[in-house]
Structure formats: C-alpha cells, structure tokens
Amino acid sequence: MLRLIAALCLVALPAFAVEEQVVLGLSQDRVAITADFNGSEILIFGAVKREAPIPEGDPLEVIVAVSGPSEPVLVRRKEKKFGIWVNTDSVLVDSAPSFYAVATSAPFKEAITDTEDLRHRVSIERAIRSVGAAMHIRGAQSFANAVVRIRENARLYSIRENTVAVDEQTLFRTSIEMPADLTEGEYSARIFLTRGGMVVSDFTTSIDVRKVGLERILYTMSRQQPILYGLMSLAIAIAAGWGASAAFRLIRNN
C-alpha cells in the first residue's frame, strides 16, 4: 500500500511543478573591433519555454548580465604627505570583469533577493572578488568599491533597471550597449528568470569580441614579436617626422 501511495505522489509531482526554461537569441554573437570601431549594441531577446500554463502568484522577472574577461586589478591609495601625493596602501582585487552590464525588468532589489544575488553573483559588487587584502590595511573593501566607481565613470560598469521588456510573461528583449574601448576576449551573457526574487531558471551563452584586419595583425605582432613591433613603430615615427618637416620647408620656401 505504501509503495502505491509513493508511486502516485511521484506521478502527481510534475502536475504541480511548472518548469520554465530560457530560449535565447542574440542579434550578434561576435563583435569585430576595427580601426573605426566606436562601440556596439547587442540585442538580446528570447522566450520562456513551459510545459504547463503560466503559474499564478509572483510575476516573472528577467535579469540579463553581460560580463567581459576577468583579471586581477592592483588598486593603490594615494595620500598627501609633505605637500605631495604619494602611493600608500595597495590591494590586489583578485578578479574584476573588464566590462559588466546588468539589465532588469524591475528594480534590482525586487527582481532578485540578496541571498540569490550572493549565490549567483549578479550585482556589480558581487561580480568582483577581493579576498587577498592584508588585515592591516584599513578599509580594504573601499579598494574594490574604487574599481566599481572608476569603471562606472568610464561606462564599463552599469546596472540598468526596468530596461528588459517582458510580454505576457513569455517573451523578453533588451539591448546592451558596449563601449569602444572593449577588452578582447570571450564575453559571457547570463539570463536569469525569477519569481518572488528567487531564481527559477538561468541560461548562459558567449559573445566573442576580437580585433580584425590591421588591428589584429598589429596586436599579434606587439605580443609575439615586440622587438619588430618597436622597430616598426620607430620607423613610422621617423618617417612621419621627416615628412612633416619636408612639407613645412616646402611651404616656407614657396
């Protein structure tokens, strides 16, 4: 009898649990950095796949987070001593994304709880890791905050609330602006579906950002053949200086 009841419970469970999954689309999954590159805008759109009717209760919210390659950042504190500014303390922020943008369909605090934010590292502050600060350094967390402030001013970090459009709790879309000074590498795009601030589904895809053409050749040469790159840069500078001088003499003589 107990086995029969357990079997009936297992059969009944899918009727109450509505699984929601992301079906995603991107306007482009590759960004080419060229000589006249002045930024890019990526349209992120998708739908929610369900095997049952839309659940009642809390509405569906969507969060989109796009992050660039992460790397350590050395942050220094400057203080004025004897009338001059000098470097004092320094902290190595273990990992900070070169670019980070978050778009939400509701105010951030309503779209996701603090516990879920800590678990998935969605907010800008949670996306940065700084665990190696020495105990004697005062205000160690302020160094990580400085990275956020500087990169927000440079438009590399941003949280854009209420910019994800959600139609009928099924279709969603938003656009992410990417600035001109992008770091080359693989970018991650994460999409979270939440209800009542709790993540019910998430999906991750990648966007490839690469230099192309002459920029790619010069970048590769500067990394793999630095001596040749330096000599070529010197030759171009000498030629440009000589050309400008010759043009100036020609104009003066005429």
Side-chain angles (χ1 to χ4, degrees):
M1 185 64 180
L2 291 176
R3 291 183 179 179
L4 178 60
I5 294 174
L8 290 174
C9 290
L10 290 175
V11 172
L13 277 177
F16 295 98
V18 178
E19 185 177 1
E20 297 176 299
Q21 297 179 341
V22 177
V23 180
L24 184 68
L26 297 173
S27 61
Q28 59 187 89
D29 58 3
R30 189 172 186 271
V31 176
I33 301 178
T34 59
D36 58 350
F37 179 76
N38 58 359
S40 180
E41 184 177 77
I42 295 179
L43 175 64
I44 299 176
F45 57 93
V48 181
K49 179 182 177 182
R50 303 183 182 91
E51 300 296 337
I54 298 174
E56 298 180 357
D58 295 314
L60 179 74
E61 304 295 352
V62 180
I63 302 174
V64 178
V66 178
S67 59
S70 295
E71 58 188 4
V73 179
L74 182 63
V75 185
R76 302 181 186 276
R77 174 187 285 143
K78 288 188 176 183
E79 294 183 357
K80 197 171 186 179
K81 294 185 176 181
F82 306 107
I84 59 174
W85 290 95
V86 295
N87 293 325
T88 54
D89 298 329
S90 65
V91 167
L92 181 66
V93 176
D94 302 85
S95 178
S98 58
F99 172 84
Y100 198 76
V102 179
T104 65
S105 60
F108 187 85
K109 294 296 184 181
E110 296 179 12
I112 189 170
T113 64
D114 190 65
T115 301
E116 290 289 84
D117 180 24
L118 178 62
R119 175 187 173 194
H120 295 279
R121 295 185 176 273
V122 182
S123 63
I124 294 176
E125 291 76 12
R126 296 273 166 73
I128 294 177
R129 295 196 303 273
S130 179
V131 296
M135 296 298 294
H136 69 276
I137 297 179
R138 57 182 173 84
Q141 181 58 37
S142 64
F143 288 80
N145 296 338
V147 175
V148 174
R149 184 179 67 255
I150 293 170
R151 294 190 173 180
E152 282 180 339
N153 293 336
R155 297 176 58 198
L156 293 173
Y157 286 0
S158 64
I159 290 186
R160 302 185 305 137
E161 299 176 316
N162 301 304
T163 58
V164 180
V166 182
D167 299 329
E168 302 296 331
Q169 298 194 58
T170 301
L171 303 176
F172 63 88
R173 64 188 181 279
T174 189
S175 59
I176 300 295
E177 294 183 3
M178 307 181 79
D181 52 341
L182 288 177
T183 299
E184 191 179 29
E186 185 174 285
Y187 285 57
S188 170
R190 297 184 295 160
I191 293 83
F192 300 93
L193 305 181
T194 68
R195 288 189 181 275
M198 304 299 293
V199 175
V200 298
S201 180
D202 64 276
F203 181 85
T204 302
T205 188
S206 60
I207 303 170
D208 193 35
V209 177
R210 300 290 174 186
K211 294 181 174 68
V212 297
L214 180 60
E215 288 72 25
R216 174 79 255 172
I217 296 173
L218 294 177
Y219 178 83
T220 303
M221 182 184 296
S222 66
R223 296 297 186 274
Q224 299 180 357
Q225 298 175 302
I227 296 178
L228 179 61
Y229 178 80
L231 292 175
M232 186 182 70
S233 300
L234 180 61
I236 292 175
I238 293 174
W242 178 86
S245 177
F248 178 75
R249 286 197 304 270
L250 181 63
I251 294 172
R252 185 179 61 182
N253 292 335
N254 292 336

